[in-house]
Amino acid sequence: MKKNIFLLLTVGTFYCKAQNSVRFDYDNFESQVLAYNPNQNSNVSKKDFDYGMMILNETKTATKNRPENFNLADYFNVFIAFLKLEESNENIKIAFEKFKNANGSCEYCITFENSLKKNPKFDVVRAEYDKKMEECKLISTEKNFDAKEYSLKNNLDYNLVQQIYQIDSNDRKYRDTKDFLTKQKELDNQNQKIINELHKKYKTYIGKSLVGEKFESVMWAVIQHSNIEMMEKYLPVVHIAVKEKELSSTPLKMLIDRYYGLKYGYQVFGSQSSDFGFKMADEKKRKEIKLKYGIE
């Protein structure tokens, strides 16, 4: 995950209706988005309209109004904006198609599977999403992953790579199953102890330099799935890792949202699902926290 993403998964059910005459097409999608200034549909609340517009404006800023600068996060953001603005089903499906075909989309689909599959607002692309998930899970089933070959190819410590690979496998093992509260919690506790030991040993975030790009987010995932005490301890560590290019900025945003949500009841980037019940921080607080961590 290499750029900003707004996972505004906190809205309820709605019905998609065309609100504007603009009909997006796949080939000119980026240019159309940058030029788009939608009107508010009578069925869309001011809150949802403002959210949708915020995402579109942030996307224009992030891409510097250049179509060639669009990436995975931008496509997903626009998709979410179209849902919030209740764009036509055709426009929403094109937005999803752009996201689906962007490099790295499987990482998002798998990471947020639990939230996406529960949210009825995604029903308009449910069939396409389910098909994409099947493809992603086939790709991610790496029974023949060779840690030694990966380590040699990337000039990494084999023992550390093997250890982080096992942590990654354990982090995912029962997370979306009925055994989450028993077996997964036990594995999470084991992973947390191991990450603490690794951090004590290496005195830094276990990121790209130590385990390669493939596993740069594993330590973050363990922290994200931990408790408020561990999050508070490692939030500065993850922040430094992002500044040092050991980790992309999206995981940091998700950790900020989870930590601030658990501690204060609000989130900044909208990355946490409605299951948590976190409200969005007000504009003043959002600006304050973004400035503190130097991210947009």
Side-chain angles (χ1 to χ4, degrees), residues 248-263:
S248 65
S249 63
T250 296
L252 173 60
K253 293 177 182 181
M254 294 175 67
L255 180 56
I256 289 171
D257 275 351
R258 182 73 59 88
Y259 171 71
Y260 277 84
L262 290 173
K263 188 165 185 176

Side-chain angles (χ1 to χ4, degrees), residues 263-281:
K263 188 165 185 176
Y264 303 109
Y266 58 75
Q267 55 181 319
V268 178
F269 302 101
S271 68
Q272 305 303 288
S273 76
S274 57
D275 294 343
F276 290 100
F278 303 151
K279 65 180 181 180
M280 287 297 292

Side-chain angles (χ1 to χ4, degrees), residues 24-32 94 98:
F24 289 78
D25 67 80
Y26 191 90
D27 293 334
N28 299 304
F29 183 80
E30 296 81 3
S31 296
Q32 288 177 303
I94 289 175
K98 296 295 291 191

